[in-house]
Short mmCIF file of all heavy atoms in Angstrom, two decimals:
data_model
loop_
_atom_site.label_atom_id
_atom_site.label_comp_id
_atom_site.label_asym_id
_atom_site.label_seq_id
_atom_site.Cartn_x
_atom_site.Cartn_y
_atom_site.Cartn_z
N ALA J 207 -22.26 -15.50 -13.42
CA ALA J 207 -22.81 -15.49 -12.07
C ALA J 207 -23.98 -14.52 -11.94
O ALA J 207 -24.91 -14.75 -11.16
CB ALA J 207 -21.73 -15.13 -11.06
N LEU J 208 -23.96 -13.44 -12.74
CA LEU J 208 -24.99 -12.41 -12.63
C LEU J 208 -26.18 -12.65 -13.55
O LEU J 208 -27.18 -11.93 -13.47
CB LEU J 208 -24.37 -11.04 -12.96
CG LEU J 208 -23.43 -10.48 -11.90
CD1 LEU J 208 -22.57 -9.36 -12.49
CD2 LEU J 208 -24.21 -9.96 -10.70
N ASP J 209 -26.11 -13.65 -14.40
CA ASP J 209 -27.19 -13.89 -15.35
C ASP J 209 -28.49 -14.22 -14.63
O ASP J 209 -28.57 -15.18 -13.86
CB ASP J 209 -26.81 -15.05 -16.27
CG ASP J 209 -27.82 -15.27 -17.38
OD1 ASP J 209 -28.35 -14.27 -17.91
OD2 ASP J 209 -28.11 -16.43 -17.71
N GLY J 210 -29.51 -13.40 -14.86
CA GLY J 210 -30.82 -13.63 -14.25
C GLY J 210 -30.95 -13.23 -12.80
O GLY J 210 -31.97 -13.51 -12.16
N VAL J 211 -29.95 -12.55 -12.26
CA VAL J 211 -29.96 -12.15 -10.85
C VAL J 211 -30.67 -10.82 -10.66
O VAL J 211 -30.49 -9.90 -11.46
CB VAL J 211 -28.51 -12.07 -10.32
CG1 VAL J 211 -28.44 -11.29 -9.02
CG2 VAL J 211 -27.95 -13.46 -10.14
N GLY J 212 -31.47 -10.72 -9.60
CA GLY J 212 -32.15 -9.46 -9.32
C GLY J 212 -31.46 -8.63 -8.25
O GLY J 212 -31.45 -7.41 -8.29
N ALA J 213 -30.88 -9.33 -7.26
CA ALA J 213 -30.24 -8.63 -6.14
C ALA J 213 -28.91 -9.29 -5.82
O ALA J 213 -28.73 -10.49 -6.03
CB ALA J 213 -31.15 -8.66 -4.90
N VAL J 214 -27.98 -8.48 -5.30
CA VAL J 214 -26.64 -8.96 -4.99
C VAL J 214 -26.26 -8.55 -3.57
O VAL J 214 -26.41 -7.38 -3.20
CB VAL J 214 -25.59 -8.41 -5.98
CG1 VAL J 214 -24.18 -8.79 -5.55
CG2 VAL J 214 -25.87 -8.90 -7.39
N PHE J 215 -25.77 -9.52 -2.80
CA PHE J 215 -25.14 -9.22 -1.52
C PHE J 215 -23.66 -9.14 -1.79
O PHE J 215 -23.02 -10.13 -2.18
CB PHE J 215 -25.44 -10.30 -0.49
CG PHE J 215 -24.79 -10.05 0.84
CD1 PHE J 215 -25.16 -8.95 1.60
CD2 PHE J 215 -23.81 -10.89 1.34
CE1 PHE J 215 -24.56 -8.69 2.84
CE2 PHE J 215 -23.21 -10.66 2.57
CZ PHE J 215 -23.59 -9.55 3.31
N LEU J 216 -23.09 -7.95 -1.60
CA LEU J 216 -21.72 -7.70 -1.99
C LEU J 216 -20.81 -7.59 -0.77
O LEU J 216 -21.03 -6.75 0.11
CB LEU J 216 -21.63 -6.40 -2.80
CG LEU J 216 -20.23 -5.93 -3.21
CD1 LEU J 216 -19.52 -6.97 -4.07
CD2 LEU J 216 -20.31 -4.58 -3.93
N ILE J 217 -19.80 -8.46 -0.75
CA ILE J 217 -18.72 -8.37 0.22
C ILE J 217 -17.45 -8.10 -0.56
O ILE J 217 -17.13 -8.84 -1.50
CB ILE J 217 -18.57 -9.69 1.02
CG1 ILE J 217 -19.81 -9.94 1.87
CG2 ILE J 217 -17.33 -9.64 1.90
CD1 ILE J 217 -19.77 -11.26 2.62
N TRP J 218 -16.73 -7.05 -0.20
CA TRP J 218 -15.46 -6.76 -0.88
C TRP J 218 -14.35 -7.38 -0.05
O TRP J 218 -14.07 -6.93 1.07
CB TRP J 218 -15.26 -5.26 -1.03
CG TRP J 218 -14.08 -4.92 -1.90
CD1 TRP J 218 -12.89 -4.37 -1.52
CD2 TRP J 218 -13.96 -5.15 -3.31
NE1 TRP J 218 -12.05 -4.22 -2.59
CE2 TRP J 218 -12.69 -4.70 -3.72
CE3 TRP J 218 -14.81 -5.69 -4.29
CZ2 TRP J 218 -12.24 -4.78 -5.03
CZ3 TRP J 218 -14.37 -5.76 -5.60
CH2 TRP J 218 -13.10 -5.30 -5.96
N PRO J 219 -13.69 -8.45 -0.53
CA PRO J 219 -12.79 -9.23 0.31
C PRO J 219 -11.35 -8.76 0.34
O PRO J 219 -10.50 -9.43 0.92
CB PRO J 219 -12.88 -10.62 -0.35
CG PRO J 219 -13.05 -10.31 -1.81
CD PRO J 219 -13.89 -9.05 -1.87
N PHE J 220 -11.07 -7.63 -0.29
CA PHE J 220 -9.69 -7.16 -0.38
C PHE J 220 -9.49 -5.97 0.56
O PHE J 220 -10.43 -5.27 0.89
CB PHE J 220 -9.36 -6.76 -1.82
CG PHE J 220 -9.80 -7.79 -2.83
CD1 PHE J 220 -10.86 -7.54 -3.68
CD2 PHE J 220 -9.16 -9.01 -2.91
CE1 PHE J 220 -11.28 -8.49 -4.61
CE2 PHE J 220 -9.56 -9.97 -3.83
CZ PHE J 220 -10.63 -9.71 -4.68
N GLY J 221 -8.26 -5.75 0.96
CA GLY J 221 -7.96 -4.65 1.87
C GLY J 221 -7.70 -3.33 1.19
O GLY J 221 -7.18 -2.41 1.80
N HIS J 222 -8.07 -3.23 -0.07
CA HIS J 222 -7.86 -2.01 -0.86
C HIS J 222 -8.98 -1.91 -1.89
O HIS J 222 -9.63 -2.92 -2.21
CB HIS J 222 -6.50 -2.05 -1.56
CG HIS J 222 -6.35 -3.25 -2.46
ND1 HIS J 222 -6.89 -3.32 -3.73
CD2 HIS J 222 -5.76 -4.46 -2.24
CE1 HIS J 222 -6.63 -4.50 -4.27
NE2 HIS J 222 -5.95 -5.21 -3.37
N PRO J 223 -9.25 -0.72 -2.43
CA PRO J 223 -10.35 -0.56 -3.39
C PRO J 223 -9.95 -0.82 -4.84
O PRO J 223 -10.77 -0.64 -5.75
CB PRO J 223 -10.77 0.90 -3.20
CG PRO J 223 -9.50 1.58 -2.82
CD PRO J 223 -8.71 0.59 -2.01
N GLY J 224 -8.71 -1.24 -5.08
CA GLY J 224 -8.27 -1.47 -6.45
C GLY J 224 -9.14 -2.50 -7.16
O GLY J 224 -9.34 -3.60 -6.65
N GLY J 225 -9.66 -2.13 -8.34
CA GLY J 225 -10.51 -3.03 -9.11
C GLY J 225 -11.97 -2.96 -8.75
O GLY J 225 -12.82 -3.56 -9.44
N ALA J 226 -12.31 -2.24 -7.68
CA ALA J 226 -13.71 -2.21 -7.23
C ALA J 226 -14.62 -1.50 -8.22
O ALA J 226 -15.78 -1.90 -8.41
CB ALA J 226 -13.80 -1.54 -5.86
N GLU J 227 -14.12 -0.46 -8.86
CA GLU J 227 -14.97 0.29 -9.79
C GLU J 227 -15.47 -0.61 -10.92
O GLU J 227 -16.66 -0.59 -11.26
CB GLU J 227 -14.20 1.47 -10.36
CG GLU J 227 -15.04 2.39 -11.24
CD GLU J 227 -14.32 3.67 -11.60
OE1 GLU J 227 -13.17 3.87 -11.16
OE2 GLU J 227 -14.92 4.49 -12.34
N ALA J 228 -14.58 -1.43 -11.49
CA ALA J 228 -14.97 -2.32 -12.58
C ALA J 228 -15.92 -3.40 -12.08
O ALA J 228 -16.89 -3.76 -12.77
CB ALA J 228 -13.74 -2.94 -13.21
N ALA J 229 -15.68 -3.93 -10.89
CA ALA J 229 -16.53 -4.99 -10.36
C ALA J 229 -17.94 -4.47 -10.07
O ALA J 229 -18.94 -5.12 -10.42
CB ALA J 229 -15.91 -5.57 -9.09
N VAL J 230 -18.04 -3.30 -9.44
CA VAL J 230 -19.35 -2.73 -9.14
C VAL J 230 -20.09 -2.38 -10.42
O VAL J 230 -21.31 -2.60 -10.53
CB VAL J 230 -19.21 -1.50 -8.22
CG1 VAL J 230 -20.55 -0.79 -8.06
CG2 VAL J 230 -18.66 -1.91 -6.85
N ALA J 231 -19.37 -1.89 -11.41
CA ALA J 231 -20.01 -1.57 -12.70
C ALA J 231 -20.57 -2.83 -13.35
O ALA J 231 -21.67 -2.81 -13.92
CB ALA J 231 -19.00 -0.89 -13.62
N ALA J 232 -19.84 -3.93 -13.27
CA ALA J 232 -20.31 -5.19 -13.85
C ALA J 232 -21.58 -5.66 -13.15
O ALA J 232 -22.53 -6.14 -13.79
CB ALA J 232 -19.23 -6.26 -13.75
N ILE J 233 -21.61 -5.53 -11.84
CA ILE J 233 -22.81 -5.90 -11.08
C ILE J 233 -23.98 -5.00 -11.44
O ILE J 233 -25.11 -5.46 -11.64
CB ILE J 233 -22.52 -5.84 -9.56
CG1 ILE J 233 -21.51 -6.93 -9.17
CG2 ILE J 233 -23.80 -5.99 -8.74
CD1 ILE J 233 -20.97 -6.80 -7.77
N ALA J 234 -23.71 -3.71 -11.55
CA ALA J 234 -24.77 -2.74 -11.83
C ALA J 234 -25.40 -2.92 -13.20
O ALA J 234 -26.56 -2.56 -13.41
CB ALA J 234 -24.22 -1.32 -11.70
N GLU J 235 -24.68 -3.51 -14.13
CA GLU J 235 -25.23 -3.74 -15.47
C GLU J 235 -26.39 -4.73 -15.45
O GLU J 235 -27.26 -4.69 -16.33
CB GLU J 235 -24.14 -4.27 -16.40
CG GLU J 235 -23.14 -3.21 -16.85
CD GLU J 235 -22.12 -3.78 -17.81
OE1 GLU J 235 -22.24 -4.99 -18.17
OE2 GLU J 235 -21.18 -3.05 -18.19
N ARG J 236 -26.43 -5.61 -14.46
CA ARG J 236 -27.41 -6.69 -14.46
C ARG J 236 -28.34 -6.69 -13.25
O ARG J 236 -29.50 -7.07 -13.36
CB ARG J 236 -26.69 -8.03 -14.56
CG ARG J 236 -25.98 -8.24 -15.91
CD ARG J 236 -25.16 -9.52 -15.91
NE ARG J 236 -24.56 -9.74 -17.22
CZ ARG J 236 -25.06 -10.52 -18.17
NH1 ARG J 236 -26.20 -11.16 -17.96
NH2 ARG J 236 -24.44 -10.67 -19.33
N ALA J 237 -27.84 -6.31 -12.09
CA ALA J 237 -28.65 -6.39 -10.88
C ALA J 237 -29.50 -5.15 -10.67
O ALA J 237 -29.15 -4.06 -11.13
CB ALA J 237 -27.74 -6.60 -9.67
N GLU J 238 -30.61 -5.32 -9.98
CA GLU J 238 -31.50 -4.21 -9.66
C GLU J 238 -31.29 -3.69 -8.25
O GLU J 238 -31.76 -2.61 -7.91
CB GLU J 238 -32.96 -4.66 -9.83
CG GLU J 238 -33.31 -5.08 -11.24
CD GLU J 238 -34.71 -5.65 -11.34
OE1 GLU J 238 -35.36 -5.79 -10.28
OE2 GLU J 238 -35.14 -5.96 -12.46
N ARG J 239 -30.57 -4.46 -7.43
CA ARG J 239 -30.38 -4.08 -6.03
C ARG J 239 -29.02 -4.58 -5.55
O ARG J 239 -28.62 -5.71 -5.86
CB ARG J 239 -31.49 -4.67 -5.16
CG ARG J 239 -31.39 -4.37 -3.67
CD ARG J 239 -32.51 -5.06 -2.91
NE ARG J 239 -33.80 -4.71 -3.47
CZ ARG J 239 -34.47 -3.59 -3.22
NH1 ARG J 239 -33.96 -2.71 -2.38
NH2 ARG J 239 -35.63 -3.35 -3.77
N ILE J 240 -28.31 -3.74 -4.80
CA ILE J 240 -27.04 -4.14 -4.19
C ILE J 240 -27.12 -3.86 -2.69
O ILE J 240 -27.46 -2.75 -2.27
CB ILE J 240 -25.85 -3.34 -4.78
CG1 ILE J 240 -25.75 -3.56 -6.29
CG2 ILE J 240 -24.55 -3.76 -4.10
CD1 ILE J 240 -24.70 -2.67 -6.96
N VAL J 241 -26.82 -4.86 -1.91
CA VAL J 241 -26.68 -4.70 -0.46
C VAL J 241 -25.20 -4.91 -0.15
O VAL J 241 -24.66 -6.00 -0.36
CB VAL J 241 -27.55 -5.70 0.32
CG1 VAL J 241 -27.30 -5.57 1.83
CG2 VAL J 241 -29.03 -5.46 0.01
N TYR J 242 -24.55 -3.85 0.31
CA TYR J 242 -23.10 -3.89 0.52
C TYR J 242 -22.75 -3.98 2.00
O TYR J 242 -23.25 -3.21 2.82
CB TYR J 242 -22.44 -2.65 -0.09
CG TYR J 242 -20.95 -2.58 0.21
CD1 TYR J 242 -20.10 -3.59 -0.21
CD2 TYR J 242 -20.41 -1.52 0.94
CE1 TYR J 242 -18.75 -3.56 0.09
CE2 TYR J 242 -19.05 -1.47 1.22
CZ TYR J 242 -18.24 -2.50 0.80
OH TYR J 242 -16.90 -2.47 1.10
N LEU J 243 -21.86 -4.92 2.33
CA LEU J 243 -21.39 -5.07 3.70
C LEU J 243 -20.22 -4.14 3.94
O LEU J 243 -19.09 -4.42 3.52
CB LEU J 243 -20.98 -6.52 3.97
CG LEU J 243 -20.49 -6.80 5.39
CD1 LEU J 243 -21.57 -6.50 6.42
CD2 LEU J 243 -20.02 -8.25 5.51
N SER J 244 -20.48 -3.04 4.63
CA SER J 244 -19.47 -2.01 4.89
C SER J 244 -19.04 -2.10 6.35
O SER J 244 -18.90 -3.20 6.90
CB SER J 244 -20.05 -0.63 4.55
OG SER J 244 -19.10 0.38 4.70
N THR J 245 -18.83 -0.98 7.00
CA THR J 245 -18.42 -0.97 8.40
C THR J 245 -18.78 0.37 9.03
O THR J 245 -18.93 1.37 8.33
CB THR J 245 -16.90 -1.20 8.52
OG1 THR J 245 -16.54 -1.39 9.90
CG2 THR J 245 -16.09 -0.04 7.96
N LEU J 246 -18.92 0.38 10.35
CA LEU J 246 -19.16 1.63 11.05
C LEU J 246 -18.01 2.61 10.78
O LEU J 246 -16.85 2.21 10.77
CB LEU J 246 -19.26 1.40 12.56
CG LEU J 246 -20.59 0.93 13.15
CD1 LEU J 246 -20.46 0.78 14.66
CD2 LEU J 246 -21.72 1.91 12.84
N GLY J 247 -18.34 3.86 10.58
CA GLY J 247 -17.32 4.88 10.38
C GLY J 247 -16.80 4.97 8.97
O GLY J 247 -15.86 5.73 8.70
N ALA J 248 -17.41 4.22 8.03
CA ALA J 248 -16.89 4.19 6.66
C ALA J 248 -16.89 5.56 6.00
O ALA J 248 -16.06 5.83 5.12
CB ALA J 248 -17.71 3.22 5.81
N ALA J 249 -17.79 6.42 6.40
CA ALA J 249 -17.89 7.72 5.75
C ALA J 249 -16.74 8.65 6.11
O ALA J 249 -16.47 9.61 5.38
CB ALA J 249 -19.22 8.39 6.12
N THR J 250 -16.06 8.38 7.22
CA THR J 250 -15.04 9.33 7.69
C THR J 250 -13.69 8.69 7.98
O THR J 250 -12.73 9.41 8.24
CB THR J 250 -15.52 10.03 8.97
OG1 THR J 250 -15.80 9.05 9.98
CG2 THR J 250 -16.79 10.83 8.70
N GLY J 251 -13.59 7.37 7.95
CA GLY J 251 -12.37 6.72 8.41
C GLY J 251 -11.27 6.64 7.37
O GLY J 251 -11.45 6.98 6.20
N ASP J 252 -10.11 6.20 7.82
CA ASP J 252 -8.95 5.98 6.96
C ASP J 252 -8.65 4.49 6.88
O ASP J 252 -9.32 3.67 7.51
CB ASP J 252 -7.72 6.72 7.52
CG ASP J 252 -7.94 8.22 7.59
OD1 ASP J 252 -8.51 8.77 6.64
OD2 ASP J 252 -7.53 8.83 8.60
N GLY J 253 -7.63 4.12 6.13
CA GLY J 253 -7.19 2.73 6.07
C GLY J 253 -8.29 1.82 5.56
O GLY J 253 -8.97 2.10 4.57
#
Side-chain angles (χ1 to χ4, degrees):
L208 288 163
D209 186 38
V211 163
V214 174
F215 179 65
L216 176 60
I217 295 177
W218 189 250
F220 313 109
H222 57 80
E227 186 170 358
V230 172
I233 293 169
E235 285 182 4
R236 293 174 177 263
E238 298 174 355
R239 179 182 306 279
I240 301 173
V241 176
Y242 175 60
L243 181 61
S244 184
T245 189
L246 277 181
T250 58
D252 299 318

